Amino acid sequence: MTIRPIVRFPDRRLAMPARPVTTFDDSLRELAADLLDTMRAAPGIGITAPHIGVPLRVVVLELDAKAGPQTYVNPAIEWASPEMIMHREGSVSMPGVNDGVQRHARVRISYHDLDGNMQTEESEALRAVCHQHEIDQLDGMFWIQRLSRLKRERLVKKFEKMSRGASS
């Protein structure tokens, strides 16, 4: 288990759709463990393999310490409620900035577990937001693309300014 470097916005790899996982083996379990360690160190509550430069459809979420982490391989949204909610979102690839994003209040996803077994899960509130946010990332859609152009430009400028300050 290793903390891996996180790909930072605007790296082009964040805009590329991730490939489906086809082999469920120890290297996949190692990737999931590295994602968990990297997410906790960031810190964050969700991370995808593309966030560490690995173009595979793998997501790790940890929303509740008691419930523990959950790994989703090849997740896909099967159903989304018509009701929408607004939630503040950010990314381990763009630390220090966040904004409200409109998402479906409830979703049903299908995914594989680390052993390759097909699963489904229904979620609401924060977990539903996270499922949508991370699946967007796997599809090559960075979360700020869900914002108006004005909000997006403001956040990018803020992040650039913060990044310059951190490197000086």
Side-chain angles (χ1 to χ4, degrees):
M1 297 180 291
T2 307
I3 296 172
R4 301 223 205 156
I6 293 175
V7 173
R8 296 285 185 218
F9 177 85
D11 193 298
R12 285 192 329 262
R13 291 174 288 179
L14 296 171
M16 296 170 58
R19 295 188 316 267
V21 170
T22 55
T23 305
F24 296 81
D25 59 7
D26 286 341
S27 67
L28 177 63
R29 280 183 267 291
E30 187 177 312
L31 172 62
D34 289 356
L35 282 168
L36 179 61
D37 288 346
T38 303
M39 178 188 72
R40 286 175 171 165
I45 59 172
I47 194 168
T48 67
H51 282 119
I52 61 168
V54 177
L56 291 174
R57 296 186 73 81
V58 180
V59 171
V60 173
L61 295 180
E62 188 171 40
L63 306 182
D64 177 358
K66 276 187 201 158
Q70 176 76 42
T71 301
Y72 302 88
V73 181
N74 301 330
I77 295 173
E78 301 294 333
W79 172 85
S81 70
E83 303 86 29
M84 304 294 282
I85 57 174
M86 181 70 77
H87 200 280
R88 289 195 82 72
E89 297 185 24
S91 174
V92 295
S93 290
M94 195 181 203
V97 297
N98 56 65
D99 210 326
V101 177
Q102 192 89 5
R103 298 277 187 185
H104 296 279
R106 295 185 319 280
V107 295
R108 180 182 318 111
I109 65 167
S110 61
Y111 66 97
H112 292 92
D113 62 23
L114 287 170
D115 296 318
N117 300 310
M118 191 58 132
Q119 309 283 335
T120 60
E121 182 179 323
E122 292 202 18
S123 59
E124 61 184 12
L126 177 60
R127 185 169 292 274
V129 166
C130 290
H131 284 152
Q132 293 166 82
H133 175 104
E134 303 303 357
I135 290 170
D136 271 358
Q137 183 60 65
L138 294 177
D139 293 339
M141 176 181 273
F142 198 64
W143 72 277
I144 63 172
Q145 291 175 261
R146 294 263 180 206
L147 302 173
S148 69
R149 195 187 86 215
L150 189 64
K151 281 186 174 185
R152 191 169 50 245
E153 289 172 356
R154 181 177 50 82
L155 285 179
V156 168
K157 281 184 179 141
K158 180 180 178 183
F159 181 65
E160 288 169 348
K161 184 176 180 184
M162 290 169 51
S163 297
R164 280 194 305 273
S167 62
S168 41

